[in-house]
Amino acid sequence: MTTKKKIDKEAVYRLACIQCTHDEIAHVVDCSITHLRKHFGKIIEKGKDAGKKSLRRAQWDKAINGDTRMQIFLGKQYLGQKDIPEDRSHQTPLPWNDEE
């Protein structure tokens, strides 16, 4: 008869929050990846989502508090900004003169 090992749900959640892979979480809590996915899939999904929200909040806070690099990064991600502006002044064709 095998005894079931108690897996700490909070540890699974915390590891998912820092974006650990299924393989990494399974290794830490000492179970198979299949068991982890079957019994803790929703907990892992919630943890990964919480971790992403936390990281996004930290990025926004840095940008709002004046971190220029973070402002540039977020501007590119969310505002469609880019490093190389288009120079539209040189796109007009030159006037053509056939009379010469």
Side-chain angles (χ1 to χ4, degrees):
M1 182 172 143
T2 60
T3 58
K4 284 188 174 183
K5 181 181 178 207
K6 178 85 169 144
I7 295 175
D8 182 359
K9 291 179 184 179
E10 184 61 28
V12 171
Y13 178 81
R14 286 192 319 271
L15 290 166
C17 283
I18 61 170
Q19 309 304 306
C20 286
T21 65
H22 284 88
D23 186 50
E24 293 167 330
I25 297 169
H27 179 74
V28 171
V29 298
D30 194 26
C31 72
S32 71
I33 295 172
T34 304
H35 179 82
L36 187 70
R37 285 185 174 141
K38 182 177 179 182
H39 297 283
F40 299 95
K42 289 192 184 289
I43 291 171
I44 291 171
E45 186 178 330
K46 285 181 182 180
K48 287 189 178 274
D49 287 345
K52 288 176 186 176
K53 284 191 283 187
S54 178
L55 179 57
R56 186 180 308 252
R57 169 55 52 209
Q59 288 177 308
W60 282 113
D61 287 346
K62 284 188 82 70
I64 296 301
N65 289 318
D67 185 322
T68 306
R69 291 179 299 169
M70 189 56 67
Q71 291 169 346
I72 292 168
F73 172 77
L74 292 175
K76 290 176 183 178
Q77 299 302 309
Y78 295 103
L79 303 176
Q81 297 170 342
K82 52 189 168 181
D83 288 330
I84 303 170
E86 292 181 25
D87 183 1
R88 296 188 183 269
S89 65
H90 297 295
Q91 293 181 351
T92 307
L94 295 173
W96 187 263
N97 187 350
D98 281 335
E99 295 179 12
E100 288 184 36

